[in-house]
């Protein structure tokens, strides 16, 4: 099998046929594009999500916290804690495991969340460290924002710059190659992207604003995230290549490895749809968050306009990151 996420059609079949029972106290169920489940608890709801870090070696503890809390934030919910599982290869040292947990603890302090528990073991079943976290959040009853809530004619907005996570991983793990095309300042910029990897702030703002859908842009990049949003919403999209916010440093990294920045892992950017995009962009800007309108939700088809030509977007496949790690 190919490295990366399962094909969306194969994954959907596996999920749909293996749910155990459906409980009445589960209001929103995880599915393709719907990364969180929402459980009813009286006047409050519990929001849960889980994700591993497998594609990064440097900064993996930090990334593990943020990619999971970003899922919670994409529901407009407040993250309150994480459970951490670490599977370390037999070549690991106790110092390496301690370093990862120190990274995790520091980021949890920054986000005002607690490490609630987990599991740690050394195993020959992996050849590099795997960190899997489950994040838990809370939100008032019926307030959670669904990925599948996008409506026709919604503006499509992305925050910050795309592919920051992929650029950070590339420059951290493949610095010897990238030194050929990046200056010292550009390397410093790419390494600094990890400081902007959280979308908890914009999730809170957008949740209060009242958007129709949110989705953090992770594996598969912005095109993968768009596909998941419209698949969950039973709609389409039309976006414009020349509106995509991509830094010069990221463009150089992608050119060096011959990869598509629009399908490059992009934690740190939120995908949002709402009926009044300009007002939301203004609100985000007031809070020092860069935001860009890149297109519209449509009734059908997934289209990106490149050099004035409409091109149909295919379902997400393996992230571009796996071409370089």
């Amino acid at each position: 099998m190919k490295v990366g996420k399962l094909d969306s059609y194969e994954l959907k079949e596996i999920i749909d046929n293996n749910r155990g029972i459906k409980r009445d106290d589960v209001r929103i169920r995880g599915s393709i594009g719907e990364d969180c489940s929402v459980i009813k608890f009286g006047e409050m709801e519990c929001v849960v999500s889980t994700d591993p870090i497998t594609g990064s070696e440097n900064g993996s503890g930090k990334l593990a916290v943020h990619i999971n809390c970003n899922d919670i934030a994409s529901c407009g919910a407040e993250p309150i804690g994480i459970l951490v599982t670490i599977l370390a290869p037999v070549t690991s040292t106790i110092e390496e495991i301690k370093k990862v947990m120190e990274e995790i603890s520091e980021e949890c302090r920054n986000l005002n969340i607690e490490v609630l528990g987990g599991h740690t073991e050394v195993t020959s079943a992996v050849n590099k460290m795997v960190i899997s976290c489950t994040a838990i959040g809370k939100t008032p009853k019926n307030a959670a924002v669904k990925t599948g809530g996008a409506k026709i004619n919604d503006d499509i907005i992305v925050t910050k710059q795309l592919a920051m996570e992929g650029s950070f991983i590339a420059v951290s793990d493949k610095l010897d190659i990238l030194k050929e095309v990046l200056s010292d300042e550009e390397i410093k910029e790419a390494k600094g992207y990890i400081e902007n990897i959280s979308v908890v702030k914009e999730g809170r703002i957008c949740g209060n604003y009242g958007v129709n859908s949110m989705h953090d842009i992770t594996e598969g990049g912005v095109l993968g995230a768009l596909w998941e949003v419209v698949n969950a919403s039973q709609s389409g999209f039309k976006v414009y290549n020349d509106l995509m916010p991509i830094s010069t440093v990221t463009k150089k990294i992608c050119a060096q490895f011959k990869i598509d920045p629009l399908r490059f892992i992009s934690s740190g950017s939120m995908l949002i749809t709402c009926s009044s995009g300009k007002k939301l962009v203004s609100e985000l800007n007031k809070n020092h968050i860069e935001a860009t309108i890149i297109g519209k939700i449509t009734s059908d088809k997934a289209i990106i306009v490149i050099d004035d030509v409409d091109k149909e977007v295919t379902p997400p496949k393996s992230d571009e990151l796996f071409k370089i790690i």
Side-chain angles (χ1 to χ4, degrees), residues 280-300:
L280 178 58
V281 167
S282 177
E283 184 65 24
L284 289 165
N285 291 165
K286 286 178 186 176
N287 286 274
H288 310 291
I289 298 170
E290 181 183 354
T292 307
I293 298 174
I294 61 169
K296 288 268 192 185
I297 294 293
T298 60
S299 59
D300 60 6

Side-chain angles (χ1 to χ4, degrees), residues 171-275:
V171 81
S172 297
D173 294 355
K174 301 293 180 180
L175 183 57
D176 54 335
I177 297 173
L178 289 172
K179 278 182 176 179
E180 300 173 9
V181 295
L182 298 180
S183 67
D184 290 344
E185 279 301 308
E186 289 171 327
I187 290 169
K188 183 179 178 181
E189 178 181 328
K191 287 186 174 181
Y193 287 159
I194 196 170
E195 303 305 325
N196 294 306
I197 220 79
S198 173
V199 295
V200 170
K201 185 177 180 180
E202 50 256 59
R204 184 175 64 251
I205 293 167
C206 292
N208 292 334
Y209 182 85
V211 301
N212 291 328
S213 72
M214 286 191 283
H215 196 43
D216 62 317
I217 307 174
T218 54
E219 192 172 332
V222 67
L223 294 184
L226 279 163
W227 183 273
E228 291 183 345
V229 167
V230 299
N231 181 76
S233 305
Q234 297 183 334
S235 58
F237 64 80
K238 188 171 187 177
V239 295
Y240 296 83
N241 186 63
D242 59 1
L243 296 180
M244 299 291 180
I246 303 170
S247 72
T248 299
V249 171
T250 292
K251 289 177 180 177
K252 286 185 176 182
I253 291 171
C254 291
Q256 176 69 10
F257 290 113
K258 295 181 174 59
I259 58 178
D260 183 354
L262 302 185
R263 294 190 181 273
F264 201 17
I265 192 165
S266 293
S267 290
S269 296
M270 181 85 88
L271 178 67
I272 308 150
T273 83
C274 69
S275 60

Side-chain angles (χ1 to χ4, degrees), residues 104-136:
I104 289 171
S105 181
E106 180 181 359
E107 290 313 301
C108 286
R109 284 193 296 270
N110 292 338
L111 292 174
N112 193 35
I113 66 173
E114 185 170 345
V115 178
L116 300 170
H119 175 83
T120 305
E121 71 172 90
V122 177
T123 173
S124 60
V126 298
N127 55 27
K128 62 186 295 188
M129 195 174 296
V130 174
I131 307 166
S132 182
C133 293
T134 296
I136 299 170

